[in-house]
Amino acid sequence: MATETVTVRVPAKAGHVALLRTAVGGYAARDRFTLEQVDDLRMAVEEAAVQLLRHARGERIELDMSGTDSGLEIRVHADVVGEEPVIDQTSFSWSILRALADDVQVEMRQRHATIVLLKHRLPEQDEGADGAGG
Amino acid sequence: MTTGYTRDDTKRLFAVLRQTNDPEIRDALAKLHLPLVEYLAKRFKDRGEPLDDLIQVGSVGLLKAIDRFDLGREVEFSTYATPTIVGELKRYFRDKGWAVRVPRRLQELSLRLNKIIAQLTQELGRSPLIPEIAKAAGVSEEEVLEALESGQAYSTTSLDAPSSDDDDAPNRGDRLGEEDFRLDNLEYFASLAPLIEQLPERERTILYLRFFRGMTQSRIAEQVGISQMHVSRLLNRILEFLRQGMEGEAQY
């Protein structure tokens, strides 16, 4: 599968988190994700963005979405204050992300934090008797 | 609908309820006075909210009134309950002030999708894809997404009330059973504990099942006796509440 990356960049302000949420919903809905998975992704991206905002020092927060063979890789990232991981693995936030995504990682690189979320799409054979749609 | 209740029934039921605290009696009283709620809800029907939703909101007021009514009072229960029910409805509109205004068309689609999604989930044995929902509903995928987003927005303030798809759901209290959320599971998150304590029991259960037991929304829906979309709305609202709570300003 092609791995073109779609990026949405918004000001690092709480009011723009909803847009990231909508963006990932729209993206995932066009891939083979179920309604519940789409909802999971929206919630996960919101949670990731909210956590980044708490530590953000820059002006922007970015959402990168790339299709992979098995699903969707999402990277939510921003410049942050400090070098500590933005999400502690003992936190409630971590539990939420773990429940919503199939894999979660937090990367810290030169005061730039990236929360990586992986979500598997529905396997081909599990698709219902749906035609090309439309 | 004609009312099937008499004042004597009401008095008798209240007498039993106060002695036994039997939830079935409480339900019976609620059913008996549903026509009152419907009547009052209709007074608000021109404000752009589905009547079903208003009736649900009003029902919350009715239950509050049932719990608070003192038999020793000289007033009839319906007289006592009316301001509580109207108050609940007014509060609903007041709370909605900040919420996104959702066009009626989307509200209706959202309600319709609720049923379609439940059907598809049953047929497929899994949560449906967006194209599957669109096809079944005869609308575009765009519209499905729009309606789902709006469903979120418009129910952010009304979740204390059961949603319209819950009419035939079994009594929730009975369904939670052994999966009841226990606060000590989360005591670890010390800063959250006081917030979680403020959540109604059902919301706590949903929070626990989804984020700590990894249960899917559909399974939670089955377990709790509400629709998957309702579970989704509740989850979103709970997270929003916890976030605001962490910032210091929250009211559930």
Side-chain angles (χ1 to χ4, degrees):
Chain A
M1 165 162 300
T3 52
E4 291 172 343
T5 299
V6 174
T7 298
V8 180
R9 183 187 301 133
V10 298
K13 289 181 184 151
H16 297 283
V17 172
L19 187 56
L20 297 182
R21 197 186 136 94
T22 303
V24 77
Y27 187 101
R30 283 164 186 79
D31 199 337
R32 244 183 7 273
F33 287 96
T34 69
L35 173 64
E36 283 187 35
Q37 290 176 317
V38 171
D39 204 41
D40 286 349
L41 283 165
R42 288 196 303 209
M43 276 190 263
V45 163
E46 182 171 13
E47 180 62 27
V50 165
Q51 294 307 322
L52 283 174
L53 279 179
R54 295 219 162 112
H55 303 271
R57 68 181 159 86
E59 291 180 353
R60 293 181 189 82
I61 178 162
E62 283 188 33
L63 164 71
D64 299 334
M65 302 175 280
S66 328
T68 69
D69 286 343
S70 62
L72 180 57
E73 181 185 294
I74 289 166
R75 304 175 70 88
V76 193
H77 54 106
D79 287 336
V80 293
V81 185
E83 297 285 354
E84 292 291 301
V86 284
I87 303 181
D88 183 334
Q89 297 204 0
T90 62
S91 68
F92 183 65
S93 198
W94 181 261
S95 301
I96 291 175
L97 291 175
R98 290 287 307 223
L100 295 171
D102 292 310
D103 190 48
V104 184
Q105 279 171 43
V106 178
E107 297 172 0
M108 296 296 302
R109 184 172 35 82
Q110 295 173 336
R111 295 206 294 158
H112 189 84
T114 305
I115 299 170
V116 187
L117 305 164
L118 290 178
K119 189 82 172 168
H120 303 309
R121 69 170 69 81
L122 192 70
E124 289 278 1
Q125 65 269 23
D126 206 356
E127 192 159 4
D130 189 55
Chain B
M1 186 198 287
T2 48
T3 66
Y5 81 92
T6 70
R7 289 166 186 182
D8 287 348
D9 278 344
T10 301
K11 278 202 170 135
R12 190 172 45 77
L13 285 169
F14 263 113
V16 180
L17 179 65
R18 291 297 176 251
Q19 271 180 4
T20 62
N21 253 334
D22 185 344
E24 281 186 27
I25 303 289
R26 187 171 178 255
D27 284 353
L29 274 165
K31 273 207 190 94
L32 209 51
H33 293 89
L34 196 58
L36 175 65
V37 172
E38 288 167 350
Y39 168 75
L40 295 171
K42 276 182 194 148
R43 291 179 15 189
F44 292 84
K45 74 174 159 45
D46 294 329
R47 299 199 192 181
E49 293 294 308
L51 183 59
D52 277 356
D53 286 16
L54 298 180
I55 290 171
Q56 286 149 23
V57 172
S59 300
V60 173
L62 173 63
L63 289 174
K64 283 183 182 170
I66 289 174
D67 292 342
R68 290 175 195 160
F69 183 60
D70 177 359
L71 254 193
R73 286 175 199 249
E74 290 296 306
V75 298
E76 293 294 337
F77 174 70
S78 55
T79 312
Y80 173 80
T82 297
T84 313
I85 296 167
V86 170
E88 198 66 30
L89 286 161
K90 283 187 175 163
R91 193 164 69 89
Y92 174 71
F93 283 102
R94 197 170 59 234
D95 287 352
K96 278 190 74 70
W98 59 269
V100 183
R101 187 75 192 87
V102 178
R104 171 171 288 269
R105 166 183 73 82
L106 282 180
Q107 287 178 17
E108 284 166 0
L109 181 56
S110 179
L111 290 173
R112 196 154 70 83
L113 290 184
N114 213 348
K115 293 202 175 79
I116 290 171
I117 288 163
Q119 253 171 24
L120 285 174
T121 305
Q122 187 116 58
E123 283 168 27
L124 299 165
R126 58 159 170 80
S127 173
L129 301 167
I130 305 294
E132 290 168 343
I133 300 169
K135 198 179 173 194
V139 298
S140 70
E141 294 171 24
E142 213 62 54
E143 283 170 294
V144 171
L145 282 173
E146 216 185 336
L148 292 175
E149 282 277 339
S150 73
Q152 224 73 262
Y154 109 94
S155 43
T156 46
T157 53
S158 64
L159 85 151
D160 308 281
S163 81
S164 62
D165 46 278
D166 299 344
D167 291 348
D168 50 1
N171 186 310
R172 264 165 227 103
D174 298 343
R175 291 288 298 268
L176 299 181
E178 71 211 51
E179 292 291 0
D180 273 5
F181 175 76
R182 288 174 47 212
L183 194 61
D184 39 294
N185 285 309
L186 272 183
E187 240 166 33
Y188 191 53
F189 306 107
S191 55
L192 279 178
L195 290 170
I196 289 167
E197 237 170 320
Q198 289 175 46
L199 292 172
E201 188 184 337
R202 181 184 59 172
E203 275 76 347
R204 266 186 281 167
T205 303
I206 290 172
L207 176 76
Y208 171 66
L209 293 178
R210 182 68 193 92
F211 296 126
F212 295 89
R213 294 285 302 271
M215 211 180 262
T216 64
Q217 291 182 8
S218 304
R219 282 211 52 209
I220 296 171
E222 258 171 51
Q223 180 128 4
V224 179
I226 58 178
S227 72
Q228 175 268 322
M229 272 178 90
H230 197 183
V231 171
S232 164
R233 283 180 223 131
L234 290 172
L235 281 171
N236 277 283
R237 165 125 190 234
I238 292 164
L239 289 183
E240 181 59 25
F241 164 74
L242 294 177
R243 284 184 196 121
Q244 284 174 4
M246 297 297 278
E247 311 279 324
E249 169 67 23
Q251 207 182 5
Y252 199 87

